Amino acid sequence: ETGVTQSPTHLIKTRGQQVTLRCSSQSGHNTVSWYQQALGQGPQFIFQYYREEENGRGNFPPRFSGLQFPNYSSELNVNALELDDSALYLCASSLDRGNGYTFGSGTRLTVV
Amino acid sequence: AQSVTQLGSHVSVSEGALVLLRCNYSSSVPPYLFWYVQYPNQGLQLLLKYTSAATLVKGINGFEAEFKKSETSFHLTKPSAHMSDAAEYFCARAGPDTDKLIFGTGTRLQVFP
């Protein structure tokens, strides 16, 4: 198993800018999810992709968007960054809900 | 709404003492349940999962959890705490009608020598 890798590990952006975060899922895992974890809180579900189609979304505005590619990689894009977007962004992949989700180490985004 | 409640945002134990971290879920149908551990500046690592095969689930690092439907609980225990167990612990659920993970607010475990 190769695990889940995310890049970059840290990022600093200015309010109003756009950012793309990347994730490489475990081989064979067709489902990838993205979570936002603000400081001192539990992760919050942003959205999920299954075989390159979005099939679930949390309470996040449309400026949060994503893509999943056939090679098990995926992206999280955030437009018009706000200060409150500062958080740890986690990518997770799974075979199915019963098997659990393998998380990456996350990308720490700071918006100034 | 489906939710996960972790009682106690902070738990402190002495090294060698019993660890008990509490988790309750709300659902009329038993969901899939998970415990994750997060060390500082790291992602989440799966400790164990309940998927209806057995009510007592054994995980990594000596942790185990018992699913009690009558109490809608899934508490995490470890007989003897080690200094390396100090971390943030999250209880989470998935299903029965959603793949997304719903997390509790987390419990920070401190272990004193």
Side-chain angles (χ1 to χ4, degrees), chain A residues 35 37 41-43 45 48 88 90 97-101 103-105, chain B residues 32 34 36 38 42-44 49 51 90 96 98-101 103-104:
Chain A
Y35 292 80
Q37 186 179 20
Q41 297 183 24
F45 176 74
Q48 178 172 286
L88 180 68
L90 296 163
R97 68 182 71 162
N99 277 290
Y101 299 76
F103 281 82
S105 298
Chain B
Y32 297 110
F34 308 90
Y36 283 90
Q38 185 175 36
Q42 294 188 28
L44 302 172
K49 61 186 178 187
T51 57
F90 291 96
T98 177
D99 286 330
K100 72 177 184 181
L101 282 173
F103 285 87

Side-chain angles (χ1 to χ4, degrees), chain B:
Chain B
Q2 297 172 345
S3 66
V4 173
T5 302
Q6 291 185 242
L7 294 175
S9 58
H10 290 82
V11 170
S12 297
V13 300
S14 298
E15 191 173 21
L18 171 72
V19 175
L20 171 61
L21 305 182
R22 300 177 186 275
C23 173
N24 289 86
Y25 66 92
S26 65
S27 177
S28 58
V29 177
Y32 297 110
L33 294 165
F34 308 90
W35 275 98
Y36 283 90
V37 62
Q38 185 175 36
Y39 297 99
N41 300 313
Q42 294 188 28
L44 302 172
Q45 180 183 12
L46 180 66
L47 279 176
L48 48 80
K49 61 186 178 187
Y50 167 75
T51 57
S52 77
T55 56
L56 183 61
V57 181
K58 294 188 182 298
I60 62 172
N61 301 339
F63 285 94
E64 63 181 37
E66 186 173 7
F67 173 76
K68 292 186 177 180
K69 184 178 178 180
S70 60
E71 300 177 6
T72 61
S73 69
F74 190 56
H75 302 331
L76 182 71
T77 60
K78 182 174 181 178
S80 177
H82 192 273
M83 297 294 290
S84 60
D85 294 328
E88 187 88 20
Y89 290 80
F90 291 96
C91 181
R93 59 167 294 159
D97 55 356
T98 177
D99 286 330
K100 72 177 184 181
L101 282 173
I102 299 172
F103 285 87
T105 51
T107 297
R108 181 165 299 278
L109 176 65
Q110 288 184 304
V111 182
F112 294 100

